[in-house]
């Protein structure tokens, strides 16, 4: 069995979905730990270089943009 299939069966996610979820959860914690960082810096720190894609994925996952999350937390 190929490793990709084993990972998918083990955690019920593809590696790409797992990686994006991990990055977004890390970004969420960085937004709170570093309120002085710009949103682009947070995205780059977790490996999401395209700022508009980062904001779009963050909003889709958490229901708020990174700025809204930071403001209401």
């Amino acid at each position: 069995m190929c490793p990709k299939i084993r990972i998918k069966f083990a955690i019920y996610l593809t590696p790409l979905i797992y990686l994006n979820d991990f990055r977004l959860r890390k970004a969420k914690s960085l937004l709170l730990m570093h309120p002085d960082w710009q949103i682009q810096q947070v995205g780059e720190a977790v490996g999401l270089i395209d700022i508009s894609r980062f904001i779009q994925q963050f909003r889709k996952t958490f229901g708020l943009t990174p700025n809204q999350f930071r403001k209401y937390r």
Side-chain angles (χ1 to χ4, degrees), residues 26-37 42 69-70:
K26 180 67 176 174
K28 196 174 173 182
S29 68
L30 288 175
L31 285 166
L32 298 176
M33 290 178 6
H34 300 285
D36 55 322
W37 284 12
V42 174
F69 174 78
R70 183 183 274 167

Side-chain angles (χ1 to χ4, degrees), residues 11-42:
I11 57 175
Y12 302 104
L13 299 171
T14 65
L16 183 59
I17 292 172
Y18 175 79
L19 179 60
N20 283 336
D21 184 61
F22 178 82
R23 287 175 169 169
L24 291 170
R25 284 185 283 122
K26 180 67 176 174
K28 196 174 173 182
S29 68
L30 288 175
L31 285 166
L32 298 176
M33 290 178 6
H34 300 285
D36 55 322
W37 284 12
Q38 295 179 359
I39 300 303
Q40 185 170 354
Q41 289 175 294
V42 174

Side-chain angles (χ1 to χ4, degrees), residues 46-57:
V46 297
L48 297 168
I49 306 302
D50 182 2
I51 186 69
S52 61
R53 182 87 170 127
F54 168 58
I55 293 170
Q56 179 185 36
Q57 286 184 348

Side-chain angles (χ1 to χ4, degrees), residues 1 7 9 21 23 27 34 42 45 58-59 64:
M1 186 180 292
I7 291 171
F9 284 131
D21 184 61
R23 287 175 169 169
H34 300 285
V42 174
F58 194 95
R59 177 181 238 161
L64 297 168

